[in-house]
Amino acid sequence: DSGVTQTPKHLITATGQRVTLRCSPRSGDLSVYWYQQSLDQGLQFLIQYYNGEERAKGNILERFSAQQFPDLHSELNLSSLELGDSALYFCASSPYSSRGAPGTQYFGPGTRLLVL
Amino acid sequence: TQLLEQSPQFLSIQEGENLTVYCNSSSVFSSLQWYRQEPGEGPVLLVTVVTGGEVKKLKRLTFQFGDARKDSSLHITAAQPGDTGLYLCAGGPVNTDKLIFGTGTRLQVFP
């Protein structure tokens, strides 16, 4: 158990819908990262927050957005869902954010999203 | 765009065999991490290497960071069924703390 929790574990929805994925980092970790893992694209970095502020952006679509709240939990919002958005979405947390020195990232169990 | 290519993509071997997984890029990374992921779970960090040429050993696993910090390898000696899983390398681009993950190597070790 990494100490990172994600809800829900599974999510089935239809195209065009909007969903929210939730992540609670390990106690004391200030950095939260979101990743998308699909069969054909591997683990893709989406976005990082550090202590409530956006720190880095990866291959995140404009239909997707995220935020980190004062209690450090984070939410990833996916809207206008398409079939191709079906994937595993992972959240990871890390104790700090130090440019040039990525530390250990602790991954949650993931949310499996299926868009029908 | 910084990419990390892993080879082989799939590896199926018998218990007791040795294997090497490669992680290559044309970009320089400040550090290189290796993760292992089992079905239904998130990746778990195995090791971090930060110095060019660095070699780290973790029981039967040996990790090496290339001299130019663009590539890495993972060698497993006498593989066991418990080593089965998806192995991911991840590079830390210079001056950031984000990670770029490799394409992954799926290892299956048969008893």
Side-chain angles (χ1 to χ4, degrees):
Chain A
D1 183 359
S2 66
V4 178
T5 60
Q6 288 187 248
T7 56
K9 195 166 174 64
H10 300 277
L11 199 47
I12 302 175
T13 188
T15 55
Q17 295 298 303
R18 173 190 168 95
V19 297
T20 297
L21 312 183
R22 184 189 166 103
C23 167
S24 291
R26 292 186 331 148
S27 176
D29 283 1
L30 298 178
S31 240
V32 169
Y33 304 78
W34 285 99
Y35 294 88
Q36 179 192 59
Q37 187 175 40
S38 55
L39 282 174
D40 60 346
Q41 295 233 341
L43 201 63
Q44 299 287 316
F45 167 69
L46 296 178
I47 197 164
Q48 178 203 358
Y49 279 83
Y50 177 72
N51 203 20
E53 294 189 3
E54 182 183 304
R55 177 60 65 96
K57 249 183 177 177
N59 301 320
I60 187 165
L61 300 172
E62 284 191 12
R63 300 183 286 108
F64 296 1
S65 65
Q67 54 184 327
Q68 186 179 27
F69 295 86
D71 67 353
L72 301 177
H73 89 272
S74 179
E75 292 181 355
L76 178 67
N77 301 296
L78 315 176
S79 61
S80 303
L81 285 167
E82 301 175 359
L83 296 178
D85 297 328
S86 296
L88 267 170
Y89 290 84
F90 286 104
C91 163
S93 76
S94 147
Y96 56 86
S97 174
S98 172
R99 293 189 193 279
T104 302
Q105 292 188 16
Y106 298 88
F107 282 78
T111 293
R112 186 175 293 279
L113 173 66
L114 181 59
V115 182
L116 300 175
Chain B
T1 303
Q2 291 170 299
L3 294 173
L4 278 166
E5 297 283 341
Q6 286 183 237
S7 61
Q9 207 173 347
F10 299 96
L11 195 49
S12 187
I13 60 173
Q14 290 293 129
E15 182 176 3
E17 292 184 25
N18 302 331
L19 66 115
T20 302
V21 177
Y22 299 93
C23 173
N24 295 297
S25 174
S26 57
S27 303
V28 175
F29 291 97
S30 62
S31 67
L32 206 297
Q33 300 182 353
W34 283 91
Y35 288 79
R36 192 176 93 177
Q37 184 180 14
E38 298 192 30
E41 298 180 10
V44 176
L45 179 69
L46 295 173
V47 77
T48 301
V49 285
V50 296
T51 306
E54 182 177 359
V55 177
K56 274 192 176 177
K57 290 193 175 185
L58 188 67
K59 295 184 181 177
R60 293 177 294 101
L61 279 59
T62 302
F63 304 86
Q64 183 163 10
F65 201 10
D67 290 341
R69 291 185 292 139
K70 293 182 179 181
D71 55 84
S72 180
S73 64
L74 157 61
H75 182 80
I76 301 180
T77 304
Q80 298 177 1
D83 296 327
T84 293
L86 176 66
Y87 289 81
L88 296 160
C89 64
V94 176
N95 292 324
T96 77
D97 65 343
K98 69 178 185 181
L99 288 174
I100 306 296
F101 277 82
T103 47
T105 295
R106 198 166 292 278
L107 171 66
Q108 175 82 53
V109 182
F110 291 96

